[in-house]
Amino acid sequence: MFAPSGGTDRLTALPLPLRFATRAAAVLLAGVALLHLVFVFLHVAPANPISQRYARQVQGWIYPFFEQNWRLFAPDPESSVPQISARTLHTSADGAEQVSGWFDLTAVDNAGVRHDPFPSHTNQNMLRRAWSGYLDTHGTSDVSYSDRAVMWQEYLRNIAVDRVSAARHGAIDAIQLRVRTSPVARSDASGHITPVTASAVGTRSLPWWKVTGHGH
């Protein structure tokens, strides 16, 4: 005759409401884990009717924290460094438009990483990956021709709005980004670093994007 397991004894010893809550939490965690596995599978699997139909939901779940790639085994070093700034627009009650100065989003991230012995993965990669995803889906155009492109545009906009709102108080009706891209400075065999010339730095100004309460 086998004695009941210790785990079962401990669960049945709990008050009835706590027992139901424990079981509900276990079912919820199992459901989230199963949903995660399904989304990851649809993300890495070849394109199919299901992954195409639910592409927006899958991409929204995967990025930026659960991205799957093979760069661990085949690193792709960055050849350029983007510096992203933002400015905001607010229309007052009398119709006057107020445009803020440029706010350096990249500098804030760099400062947080530089002075933290255990920097956040989010601080290091969120803004940079948002810009990389925007480039991948838009190229040199700022028109979103697909649901994936719209998602990346909204993702980049929302990150910028959140960062600016955390540093500056006040209403935001629209936001504009400016991206200055510099090539990575090269060094010769002796270790001498060749400085980047001003002509090598490219500047791209994105259009004004409307900011709504829902989008923010």
Side-chain angles (χ1 to χ4, degrees):
M1 184 174 182
F2 295 98
S5 65
T8 303
D9 286 344
R10 287 193 293 269
L11 182 61
T12 55
L14 294 174
L16 187 60
L18 188 55
R19 195 185 315 164
F20 283 137
T22 302
R23 289 174 175 169
V27 171
L28 178 62
L29 289 175
V32 171
L34 179 61
L35 181 66
H36 176 70
L37 290 176
V38 171
F39 278 160
V40 170
F41 173 78
L42 292 176
H43 175 66
V44 300
N48 58 77
I50 298 178
S51 64
Q52 292 173 353
R53 179 177 180 182
Y54 297 102
R56 188 179 183 86
Q57 291 84 346
V58 171
Q59 301 301 331
W61 178 272
I62 292 296
Y63 292 103
F65 301 110
F66 305 120
E67 179 184 2
Q68 307 292 310
N69 60 54
W70 295 99
R71 291 185 181 179
L72 175 64
F73 306 101
D76 183 16
E78 297 287 347
S79 60
S80 60
V81 180
Q83 184 268 324
I84 305 174
S85 301
R87 63 177 178 176
T88 60
L89 179 146
H90 172 61
T91 304
S92 60
D94 59 2
E97 293 186 344
Q98 302 170 350
V99 178
S100 72
W102 289 104
F103 181 74
D104 195 334
L105 305 176
T106 301
V108 174
D109 283 357
N110 291 342
V113 171
R114 187 176 298 113
H115 302 296
D116 189 340
F118 303 102
S120 165
H121 180 78
T122 301
N123 287 345
Q124 296 181 67
N125 295 320
M126 178 179 284
L127 182 63
R128 180 180 57 83
R129 277 297 295 128
W131 172 242
S132 176
Y134 184 86
L135 278 180
D136 290 342
T137 54
H138 289 79
T140 58
S141 171
D142 293 310
V143 179
S144 302
Y145 290 105
S146 66
D147 289 343
R148 179 175 169 82
V150 171
M151 183 202 71
W152 278 111
Q153 182 263 313
E154 292 178 348
Y155 182 53
L156 179 60
R157 179 202 63 190
N158 290 347
I159 291 175
V161 172
D162 287 341
R163 301 287 176 86
V164 173
S165 298
R168 298 176 175 176
H169 300 291
I172 300 176
D173 297 324
I175 192 166
Q176 183 185 32
L177 301 186
R178 181 185 65 190
V179 184
R180 290 176 174 168
T181 305
S182 306
V184 174
R186 300 180 181 276
S187 59
D188 55 25
S190 64
H192 175 71
I193 299 177
T194 304
V196 177
T197 61
S199 60
V201 179
T203 301
R204 177 173 172 179
S205 296
L206 276 60
W208 284 98
W209 291 330
K210 185 177 180 181
V211 176
T212 63
H214 175 73
H216 184 192

